[in-house]
Amino acid sequence: DGMLYISSHNGVLYSINAAKGTLEWANRYAGGHSQLWVANDYLYTVNKNNQLLAIYKVTGSVKWATELESINKTNKDSVFFSDNSTSFNGPTMINGNLYITSSNGHLLVFNAVSGKKLKDIKIKKGDNSPAITAGEHIYFLNGSGTLTVIGQ
């Protein structure tokens, strides 16, 4: 589409026309340290507030937002409840779903249309890399360099 999408640590997500070098829009809510995933009409990202977002790439408006750390805070066994801040990597889209790894040992799967959580898979704790896929398997590295492979 000829656009550059840039997420900044100050919380702003930018859309820049690559040919003209002009700013098309800026969303002061959607930026962060996470990678962006572009699919069809949307950008998917985790913002600086640990929210998984679907952003309409033409206007920068938010289609949906899912709070990653506030889900199930009353359940102390939940992936989302922690005295320490949990970091999230991703999203990666695989078969129409969004995959996010968490530093506290979970691979989270969300519906890309609604933002609803579909699965929570226990993985090794650590700063996990964003998930990647090849064939029928999902791969990611943890902070100690251990490669984890799971079936889809």
Side-chain angles (χ1 to χ4, degrees):
D1 66 359
M3 303 304 291
L4 297 173
Y5 302 103
I6 302 168
S7 183
S8 67
H9 286 273
N10 68 355
V12 182
L13 177 63
Y14 301 95
S15 174
I16 299 170
N17 184 305
K20 298 176 187 175
T22 56
L23 178 66
E24 296 295 314
W25 52 259
N27 181 318
R28 300 193 182 285
Y29 169 77
H33 66 277
S34 181
Q35 72 180 27
L36 295 170
W37 192 272
V38 181
N40 302 316
D41 293 333
Y42 295 94
L43 305 169
Y44 299 94
T45 191
V46 176
N47 70 5
K48 69 178 184 175
N49 298 319
N50 284 338
Q51 296 170 310
L52 175 61
L53 304 172
I55 308 292
Y56 187 53
K57 67 182 186 178
V58 174
T59 64
S61 63
V62 177
K63 177 182 179 186
W64 53 255
T66 299
E67 302 279 340
L68 295 177
E69 289 208 73
S70 66
I71 297 173
N72 298 328
K73 273 201 174 193
T74 57
N75 179 357
K76 292 190 181 199
D77 295 326
S78 168
V79 61
F80 301 103
F81 184 87
S82 174
D83 291 333
N84 301 321
S85 180
T86 301
S87 63
F88 298 93
N89 284 308
T92 301
M93 185 176 280
I94 303 169
N95 294 330
N97 293 319
L98 300 168
Y99 288 71
I100 297 175
T101 59
S102 71
S103 61
N104 61 354
H106 293 265
L107 176 64
L108 306 169
V109 184
F110 295 87
N111 179 289
V113 174
S114 67
K116 179 183 176 188
K117 184 174 77 165
L118 302 174
K119 293 181 187 176
D120 181 341
I121 303 164
K122 291 283 283 177
I123 58 176
K124 189 171 181 177
K125 288 184 179 182
D127 292 322
N128 292 298
S129 68
I132 60 170
T133 186
E136 296 296 316
H137 295 90
I138 299 168
Y139 302 84
F140 47 91
L141 291 171
N142 71 9
S144 64
T146 302
L147 177 65
T148 300
V149 182
I150 61 173
Q152 289 187 33

